[in-house]
Amino acid sequence: MSVFSSVLLRSSVAARLRAAGCVFAEDEARILLAAATTPAQLAGMVRSRAQGRPLEHVVGWAEFGGLRISVDDGVFVPRRRSEFLVSTAAGLTGADALVVDLCCGSGALAAALVTAVGLPVEVYAADVDEAAVRCARRNLAAVGGRVFQGDLFEPLPAALRGRITVLLANVPYVPTADIELLPAEARLHEARPALDGGADGLDVLRRVAGQAPEWLAPGGSLLFETSERQAPEALAVAGAAGLDTALSWCEDLDATVVTATRR
């Protein structure tokens, strides 16, 4: 195919995506053209994206923390703002740290953290969703991560109690009543348990924070995202569990992270 015809094809794909409401149509057209191996596959991918399926589910991966993270249908797509959670955790992660990624989804947080610190790290992860666990196992295989399926801490080996250095927990924090206000990409294509945080959005956080002190090593930290609006109550939840709390905010990513440390 000539360069000229490639440009025309990209323009055509971008126009189709733009008409469907895709804000970054040109960038998405480039990604779809690179991913497709046949004209028929490209047509199917463009059609699927134009119908509202997340781009990451269409191509099967998401870019996060400089990595290409495998993301299957129905699995929570890692958001770029969560890179701030990773960078905050990286400052607390030394050699031979024991890292747990709870509510791990695709395992993107743990994978990006290990890459960021560039040190030997022992990694575990857990999620209640079977599809997410399959993805996380693929994404964490290169760093020797062990991934378990189950509810929060329940499936983790008991030997980890009192030993976790860094506990990443990207818990769902959208209030139940606000789920219907989310973009259709999330509302219709991602597992609801990965989004729904209960009546005030903090139900899962309460459960994680309540159990965290018995799993964290002395001086170990629980790190989680929250919204700016929920931050005061989220800090109170972690503080009520006996953890020392600190709030961080990244203007560029509009990301709010709480670090809650065992005394």
Side-chain angles (χ1 to χ4, degrees):
M1 182 181 292
S2 70
V3 173
F4 180 70
S5 60
S6 296
V7 171
L8 285 178
L9 181 56
R10 181 182 298 182
S11 177
S12 174
V13 170
R16 172 78 185 279
L17 297 177
R18 197 178 303 109
C22 298
V23 176
F24 303 105
E26 287 76 14
D27 290 338
E28 294 193 9
R30 174 181 51 79
I31 292 171
L32 291 174
L33 283 164
T37 57
T38 67
Q41 184 184 31
L42 176 62
M45 295 173 96
V46 172
R47 181 171 57 253
S48 184
R49 178 63 184 128
Q51 291 171 346
R53 188 176 167 208
L55 176 69
E56 294 82 3
H57 290 166
V58 173
V59 298
W61 57 269
E63 185 176 336
F64 182 82
L67 302 175
R68 182 172 286 195
I69 300 294
S70 175
V71 183
D72 291 342
D73 281 343
V75 175
F76 182 81
V77 176
R79 277 42 166 182
R80 184 166 177 262
R81 65 173 176 269
S82 297
E83 292 179 357
F84 182 55
L85 180 58
V86 171
S87 64
T88 304
L92 302 173
T93 307
D96 301 317
L98 197 161
V99 173
V100 170
D101 187 353
L102 212 58
C103 304
C104 69
S106 64
L109 295 182
L113 176 60
V114 173
T115 299
V117 299
L119 296 169
V121 174
E122 191 175 354
V123 179
Y124 297 82
D127 199 285
V128 72
D129 182 69
E130 182 179 357
V133 167
R134 286 197 300 268
C135 274
R137 284 175 176 157
R138 293 201 302 272
N139 290 320
L140 294 176
V143 298
R146 297 178 60 191
V147 186
F148 302 87
Q149 183 180 355
D151 184 40
L152 301 182
F153 295 96
E154 181 274 329
L156 295 177
L160 300 186
R161 289 179 184 270
R163 295 182 51 225
I164 299 174
T165 312
V166 174
L167 175 57
L168 300 167
N170 196 10
V171 298
Y173 57 88
V174 179
T176 302
D178 292 348
I179 295 291
E180 296 307 312
L181 304 178
L182 292 175
E185 289 184 14
R187 188 178 71 251
L188 301 178
H189 297 278
E190 293 179 323
R192 188 174 179 117
L195 304 170
D196 193 341
D200 64 354
L202 300 175
D203 282 0
V204 183
L205 174 61
R206 290 187 181 92
R207 295 177 59 211
V208 171
Q211 297 179 67
E214 66 183 275
W215 288 87
L216 289 170
S221 295
L222 160 68
L223 297 99
F224 60 89
E225 269 184 36
T226 190
S227 69
E228 188 175 1
R229 174 175 57 85
Q230 293 168 309
E233 191 170 354
L235 286 166
V237 167
L243 300 170
D244 292 331
T245 61
L247 186 70
S248 304
W249 180 65
C250 176
E251 181 177 7
D252 289 343
L253 297 176
D254 190 24
T256 302
V257 167
V258 173
T259 303
T261 303
R262 179 184 166 188
R263 301 185 180 110

